[in-house]
Amino acid sequence: MTYSLITLDQTKSPISEAYRTLRTNVQFTSVDSETRIIMITSSGPREGKSVTVANMAVSMAQAGKSVLIIDADLRNPTQHKLFELDNREGLSVALVQEQDSRDYFDYVRETSVPSVRVLTGGPIPPNPAELLGSKRMKHLLKKFSASFDIVLIDTPPVIAVTDAAILAQEVDGVILVLASGEVNKEYAQRAKALLEKVGAKILGAILNKADMKTSEHYYYYYYHGSHDSKKRKSHK
């Protein structure tokens, strides 16, 4: 298992605790309406969204939830690397298969983490946006949402391509990952505006890569921003 899954390797660390807090906050969003399919995106590249997805999945599974990760970043799939899985088949193959030739569940992979399954991205296709906006993608999400407690979708950055904006219309909520000290404020605001434009329900934002030297610094930083966002530190 890779070092990126800190919620699995260091369950008592402050970072793992931050993920548990994030998990609780997500659960609170289900009070008025069910939040089962959650999309995680970022404003730009290398902000840590894929690692965030993987650790969220582990944390939710530790709370007794059955979790499916869908790697919908068909331009740069990463989840198979984090969970050390074969990526010769995955979402891109499932979406172009002949109708009823294989069940979507045939492409779902078990992981070493109990209750966490992954639908890897598969080979990089020439038309990612078209595949993600297809009727088959809508059917796939509907089918998986009926079989898992939580479906987490890893998507490309929202500003770079239209993929995330397309999927944002099909999910119950969106979480935006932002890299502390790296993300451009205008980019972050633009990402939020693009999601709102397509009617996405933004659950909150995760401030990633925050430089917190001690657990005391960590809790101070988290508390003073928790009214409208979720913050944590990551190795990446």
Side-chain angles (χ1 to χ4, degrees):
M1 192 58 61
T2 68
Y3 73 91
S4 298
L5 292 182
I6 195 168
T7 47
L8 183 67
D9 300 329
Q10 301 179 37
T11 58
K12 295 183 179 180
S13 70
I15 300 174
S16 293
E17 179 60 30
Y19 273 110
R20 286 190 285 271
T21 302
L22 172 61
R23 179 186 70 202
T24 300
N25 289 344
V26 170
Q27 290 173 343
F28 279 132
T29 67
S30 301
V31 174
D32 294 325
S33 60
E34 188 173 41
T35 305
R36 187 178 293 266
I37 307 176
I38 302 172
M39 187 187 91
I40 294 86
T41 188
S42 59
S43 61
R46 295 179 295 279
E47 295 198 70
K49 65 175 178 59
S50 295
V51 172
T52 297
V53 171
N55 280 285
M56 280 182 64
V58 173
S59 180
M60 289 174 170
Q62 289 169 340
K65 302 292 186 180
S66 61
V67 185
L68 172 67
I69 295 174
I70 298 178
D71 194 342
D73 190 343
L74 299 182
R75 302 167 193 270
N76 183 30
T78 303
Q79 293 300 325
H80 67 283
K81 298 176 184 178
L82 298 177
F83 287 93
E84 300 176 356
L85 301 172
D86 191 294
N87 192 42
R88 286 175 291 182
E89 292 188 323
L91 178 61
S92 62
V93 177
L95 292 176
V96 298
Q97 67 175 344
E98 291 187 15
Q99 196 70 27
D100 300 326
S101 61
R102 290 178 63 180
D103 190 276
Y104 291 132
F105 284 89
D106 293 341
Y107 298 95
V108 174
R109 300 287 175 259
E110 293 186 356
T111 72
S112 60
V113 184
S115 297
V116 174
R117 303 290 184 270
V118 176
L119 176 58
T120 65
I124 297 175
N127 56 340
E130 182 180 338
L131 290 180
L132 296 178
S134 67
K135 291 181 179 179
R136 288 191 179 185
M137 186 65 188
K138 293 180 176 64
H139 182 253
L140 179 148
L141 291 177
K142 183 177 180 180
K143 192 167 185 177
F144 283 138
S145 67
S147 301
F148 293 89
D149 294 326
I150 297 290
V151 177
L152 300 178
I153 307 178
D154 185 358
T155 73
V158 68
I159 291 179
V161 291
T162 61
D163 305 20
I166 291 172
L167 278 178
Q169 303 171 64
E170 307 299 330
V171 303
D172 300 320
V174 177
I175 293 176
L176 186 61
V177 177
L178 304 170
S180 175
E182 297 178 19
V183 63
N184 181 286
K185 182 179 180 180
E186 292 182 1
Y187 263 56
Q189 293 175 334
R190 184 180 171 192
K192 180 175 179 288
L194 285 171
L195 291 170
E196 291 176 337
K197 186 176 181 180
V198 297
K201 178 183 178 183
I202 302 177
L203 302 179
I206 298 173
L207 187 61
N208 196 24
K209 302 185 181 181
D211 184 16
M212 295 165 285
K213 303 300 183 182
T214 67
S215 59
E216 289 80 6
H217 290 164
Y218 156 73
Y219 282 113
Y220 175 86
Y221 191 72
Y222 184 92
Y223 175 79
H224 282 270
S226 61
H227 64 285
D228 61 355
S229 61
K230 295 91 179 175
K231 301 177 174 63
R232 73 170 180 88
K233 174 185 176 185
S234 171
H235 282 184
K236 293 184 70 178

